[in-house]
Amino acid sequence: MSTKINLNGQILEDASISVFDHGFLFGDSIYEVICTHNGQPCFVKEHLHRLRQSAFAISLSIPLSDEQFWQEIQRTVRESANPESYIRIVVTRGVGEIDIDPGSCTRPNVLIYVTPLKAYPQEDYEKGIHIALVSIKRNFKEALNPGIKTGNYLNNVLAKLEANQLGAKDALMLNSMGYLTECTTSNIFFIREGRIMTPSLECGILDGITRQVILRLARENGFLLEEGQWPPEEIQLAEEAFITGTLKQIMPVTLLDGRLIKDGKPGPVTIKLMSLYHDLLEKEYGQAVKGSVS
Ligand code: PDD
């Protein structure tokens, strides 16, 4: 078991980036987080697609094809020899002058960081977690669009600090219109009168890969589903809630702002979706090693 860092194709135990890299100086970078299941990186095609969308949105050209990325990811995961891996891809603007203009940066740095995957406590999945509505607002969609997965997460860091102060495990943010958006590193879902509800992309959220999978599973399994723009009162009246993300998958939420959601236990819809998601991972990544990303 080990941590390996693939920096521009060179696999190292430890790596450094110049202090003149604009990723460091200005948060001028993009990233993705992927995890493995049975040793196999999951939803790589979807993550690389989103990485390219993020790159496009900040006018950054990625020097690797998807196939090259796939080869490098596999090589780094193999060398790290972890039972399960956390994989973080970072593409920075690269080294340049200390000037906000990225014009002086000629070569992006591509980093693939692989480390043993740390599981969330089993208790959190069994009992659910506490999240808090915080005063920090999700970034304005017309400013740094939350749909772009950049290395500039300071807004979410501030939200997380506020959640910590409130004794909650994550922060739920509203947008500037007062509508629900998402948590610091996850999307939010809640259930009202048997209907699965989640903020729409128009609210200014990351289009989560796990969110996309949950929406598909919910549709395929006949659940009533609604994406929309809702004030916080909607989730305060929810029967169930959960958050989703690559690492946590589906995490039940049983406490909101210190108040129990219904009876304070993970509800039947959440439990059913957790089991469907697990079955899908087993089906897709159970045994056979996939040969290509596409
Ligand atoms: N975070 N919303 C935000 C703001 C996120 O940072 C993430 C992912 C998600 C969920 O997206 P996905 O299902 O594609 O992981 C939603 C990753 C896990 C992270 O930054 O660690």
Side-chain angles (χ1 to χ4, degrees), residues 31 33 47 50 138 149 153 156 182-187 206 208-211 244-247:
Y31 81 101
V33 174
H47 283 283
R50 190 170 65 190
R138 193 71 182 98
K149 201 159 172 60
Y153 257 46
N156 301 28
E182 60 182 342
C183 292
T184 57
T185 54
S186 44
N187 293 112
L206 185 74
I209 308 297
T210 322
R211 177 185 184 276
T244 65
T246 293
L247 303 174

Side-chain angles (χ1 to χ4, degrees), residues 82-228:
N82 303 317
E84 298 294 2
S85 292
Y86 166 106
I87 305 159
R88 189 180 187 91
I89 302 175
V90 183
V91 185
T92 72
R93 186 76 67 182
V95 170
E97 287 166 21
I98 303 186
D99 182 335
I100 192 81
D101 188 342
S104 61
C105 307
T106 49
R107 198 187 72 151
N109 277 311
V110 180
L111 215 131
I112 304 169
Y113 168 84
V114 177
T115 199
L117 182 68
K118 269 194 259 152
Y120 282 82
Q122 191 52 31
E123 197 191 7
D124 288 355
Y125 291 99
E126 284 163 12
K127 296 192 172 158
I129 60 161
H130 177 199
I131 65 169
L133 203 59
V134 293
S135 65
I136 292 280
K137 299 287 177 279
R138 193 71 182 98
N139 296 80
F140 193 48
K141 201 154 54 79
E142 287 73 20
L144 179 56
N145 189 339
I148 313 170
K149 201 159 172 60
T150 73
N152 195 321
Y153 257 46
L154 195 50
N155 197 70
N156 301 28
V157 171
L158 296 180
K160 175 71 175 163
L161 288 174
E162 197 177 333
N164 290 348
Q165 277 187 343
L166 295 166
K169 286 219 167 150
D170 207 347
L172 177 58
M173 291 171 277
L174 302 178
N175 61 20
S176 56
M177 310 274 286
Y179 295 131
L180 295 164
T181 63
E182 60 182 342
C183 292
T184 57
T185 54
S186 44
N187 293 112
I188 181 102
F189 287 76
F190 54 100
I191 289 99
R192 288 279 315 274
E193 294 161 4
R195 187 181 293 266
I196 301 174
M197 300 164 79
T198 194
S200 60
L201 299 182
E202 288 74 55
C203 296
I205 58 170
L206 185 74
D207 187 3
I209 308 297
T210 322
R211 177 185 184 276
Q212 292 169 9
V213 175
I214 302 303
L215 290 176
R216 177 158 60 82
L217 286 175
R219 268 187 219 106
E220 286 171 2
N221 287 275
F223 286 100
L224 295 174
L225 198 63
E226 213 178 314
E227 292 177 72

Side-chain angles (χ1 to χ4, degrees), residues 12-62:
L12 307 155
E13 302 289 319
D14 196 7
S16 344
I17 289 259
S18 163
V19 293
F20 297 108
D21 191 302
H22 280 209
F24 169 72
L25 289 171
F26 303 113
D28 191 352
S29 66
I30 52 171
Y31 81 101
E32 281 295 322
V33 174
I34 300 174
C35 68
T36 63
H37 184 76
N38 290 321
Q40 295 184 64
C42 302
F43 306 116
V44 175
K45 195 173 146 201
E46 290 80 357
H47 283 283
L48 291 181
H49 177 67
R50 190 170 65 190
L51 185 76
R52 287 200 189 278
Q53 284 183 322
S54 297
F56 180 76
I58 69 160
S59 305
L60 177 69
S61 64
I62 298 181

